[in-house]
Amino acid sequence: MWRGRLFFLCLALALLSGCAPGGPVAEAGADAQLPADKLIAITFDDGPRRNTTERLLDGLQERGASATFFLIGKQIEGNEDLVRRMQAEGHQVGSHTWNHVRLQGISRETLQREVGRTEETLEALLGGGPYWLRPPYGAVDAADRELLQVPMIKWSIDPRDWEKLNTAQVKAAVLENAAPNQIILLHDIYDTSVDAALEIVDTLQGEGYRFVTVQELLEANGIQPEAGVLYCSGDT
């Protein structure tokens, strides 16, 4: 019964969040049929940070897991090798603006500067994009979406790792809600989050999940991402 309530609550929240509408979603239950290939995306915000991001990349490489990194532009300088490594090892690299600015209630000039400067830095470092955007706090004014020339990514599982700073609690919060086609939000600037992420990967891989980039997740579900559209999961 509680799973049914949770499903409809999550669906309602997705609709209210402004995420792109998706096709029908099966209710998770004891008799639910999971796809043969259980895909899930794990994403990381606010990096890169030398010690934690490097350790995370080591762990993901050891496990053969792909991830998506939404980078704060001003933190790229001095960590260029880590960003190149992300790309080289098959991870998706995206933007989290230059200064982690909330993209609601700001001028269009500020929005374009925050997004454009990070995009230009990534293009100079890694080559042509586009580099998808995760708006800080997951929101952008609807009227400004037309200015954004890339798809935007939110999330469907948020363990509030930045608040908990507790590996066991973060891991439990993610695993409680894990399901195929979900997008997990974590932050690779905290040691506790890196520890939790690697334990989450170990557990879910043991259950048959495959960790893919956000782009791979959407495309595997027949979604052709569009510029200015906000996506929350592989079901949206």
Side-chain angles (χ1 to χ4, degrees), residues 47-102:
R49 180 174 178 262
R50 171 61 54 182
N51 293 337
T52 49
T53 303
E54 188 168 41
R55 186 163 66 87
L56 175 60
L57 288 170
D58 290 343
L60 293 173
Q61 184 180 46
E62 290 170 3
R63 292 160 173 80
S66 296
T68 302
F69 292 85
F70 293 101
L71 308 181
I72 294 178
K74 68 179 182 180
Q75 295 179 193
I76 293 174
E77 184 176 1
N79 292 305
E80 291 90 348
D81 59 315
L82 293 179
V83 181
R84 292 191 188 97
R85 181 180 171 187
M86 291 171 188
Q87 183 187 62
E89 294 181 357
H91 305 296
Q92 184 176 353
V93 178
S95 167
H96 202 38
T97 73
W98 187 262
N99 290 298
H100 199 273
V101 169
R102 184 184 293 274

Side-chain angles (χ1 to χ4, degrees), residues 204-215:
L204 293 181
Q205 283 184 332
E207 295 178 6
Y209 282 86
R210 184 158 65 92
F211 284 83
V212 296
T213 67
V214 169
Q215 182 170 355

Side-chain angles (χ1 to χ4, degrees), residues 108-120:
R108 290 192 162 195
E109 292 76 15
T110 300
L111 184 150
Q112 291 175 313
R113 182 171 61 251
E114 282 288 324
V115 175
R117 188 176 179 187
T118 305
E119 177 99 5
E120 291 170 3

Side-chain angles (χ1 to χ4, degrees), residues 187-199:
H187 299 79
D188 56 313
I189 59 173
Y190 304 113
D191 282 305
T192 49
S193 296
V194 171
D195 292 338
L198 298 179
E199 292 182 18

